[in-house]
Amino acid sequence: MAKNLVIIGGGFAGISVAKKLSSSGFNITIIDKTNHHLFQPLLYQVATAALSPGDIAMPIRAIFSKQKNVEVVLGEVTEVNKDSNRVILKNGSSFPFHYLIVAVGAQYNYFGNDEWKEHAPGLKSLSDALEIRERILLSLEKAEQIIDPQKREKFLTYVVIGGGPTGVEMAGSIAEIAKRSMMRDFRNIKPDETKIYLVEAADGILNGFDEPLPEKGLKTLEEMGVEVILNSPVQDIKENGVQIEGRFIETPNIIWGAGVAASPLIKSLGVKTDRMGRAIVEPDLSIAGHPNIFVAGDAAHVKDKDGNPLPGLAPVALQQGKYLGDLLRKEEKNREPFKYIDKGTMATIGRAKAVADIRGFKFSGFFAWLLWGLIHIFFLIGFRNRFRVFAEWTWHYITFKRGVRLIAKKDEA
């Protein structure tokens, strides 16, 4: 009799497991709140009008259309019953399992200030990216119609909170939009009127990278016109701006990328968690006392060989997914622990500008950017998406133009 494997989450880890078990005897059910797999590393490019949503997302059903042992369910899991081995959905339906993989990802952490979310959206979903994109474009349209430079200043001001890869990539992309690629289409505003701020509570950006890459990243941002404000935790966020110590930056354009927390679903597992709410798992990624329930991806607290928690990156989730696929296929009682192979980290800052650390070899500038682009295209799912992203990037590199500058919210224009 075939065993039931339920996978909660259609991200990198969940998709990787299901692909690995394509020819197995498992009946696989993938449950996700959305109907698509999202390539999150390129989400900021949707937010900054460089790519379309369909370029980095693919329906989960389409990914497994030829895989007969996979069922896809659109729904939200609210509870995991470990005693009866069932997951319960928000609509009341439930699914039994022999094995369960919880790969629900993470959400942005506002550190107890959830009211900030309304004014400073994060970047975890397509709807987040489209909201940010429309805010940026609407601000430019509003500024174009205001004659007084002082009155339009706030609409040409952008604040990105958080100096990690997402914040750096967002700030760099906005600088390209505001200071070069779109300004040629506006008549009344000039590139030097725009102000982009990157606010970081720590004393440096890109803290996951080794020197000299953070310093090079900082210098590159400053050359692009971004003002990086360090050692400045956010004190308050309002509809009209951001309050940091001794300074209020007036703007409706605020983007949050300062920290993440695990999905609330992890709490229903009744396991120990770290300060980010991630499940502290066993060496084989299972939870204590339940060898048939696993947590993977951004929701799992797993340590590397040096005892440091693994970062919430796509390569980590992909390797965990492949590991779990092999583990379940063999169904061995003596399980080899998961070991992460760090192949490097990288972040792009703008056109032909990036930093990369590949197994101790450090690069920056055009070569790092080219390497970053090739790797990201390789990891996209589907030939169509790879081709479209490559074509869009080539067009943007040659013409400096971003093609997806559409505003759908007519009532706000």
Side-chain angles (χ1 to χ4, degrees), residues 254-267:
I254 310 165
I255 299 149
W256 184 268
V260 294
S263 167
L265 181 65
I266 297 300
K267 293 181 179 179

Side-chain angles (χ1 to χ4, degrees), residues 130-160:
L130 293 174
E131 180 183 355
I132 291 170
R133 186 183 79 182
E134 297 203 345
R135 285 191 183 200
I136 293 171
L137 297 176
L138 278 169
S139 266
L140 289 171
E141 294 292 344
K142 289 176 181 178
E144 175 76 355
Q145 299 175 40
I146 299 172
I147 304 301
D148 187 342
Q150 289 186 331
K151 291 183 179 179
R152 70 185 178 211
E153 180 180 350
K154 65 180 180 181
F155 295 110
L156 296 174
T157 299
Y158 306 86
V159 176
V160 180

Side-chain angles (χ1 to χ4, degrees), residues 80 82 264-273 279-280 287-290:
V80 175
K82 296 183 294 185
L265 181 65
I266 297 300
K267 293 181 179 179
S268 74
L269 295 176
V271 297
K272 290 183 178 180
T273 58
I280 298 175
I287 63 173
H290 294 270

Side-chain angles (χ1 to χ4, degrees), residues 104-122:
V104 287
Q107 59 190 18
Y108 273 107
N109 183 7
Y110 289 84
F111 305 104
N113 302 285
D114 292 341
E115 68 277 8
W116 293 355
K117 185 176 182 179
E118 180 182 354
H119 311 308

Side-chain angles (χ1 to χ4, degrees), residues 201-240:
D203 58 1
I205 63 171
L206 297 175
N207 291 323
F209 292 75
D210 294 329
E211 291 293 350
L213 297 181
E215 187 62 32
K216 288 186 176 181
L218 176 62
K219 185 178 179 181
T220 301
L221 283 174
E222 291 175 341
E223 290 173 349
M224 296 174 70
V226 178
E227 181 178 340
V228 181
I229 306 174
L230 302 175
N231 300 303
S232 299
V234 172
Q235 295 178 339
D236 195 14
I237 297 177
K238 298 179 180 179
E239 184 178 8
N240 64 333

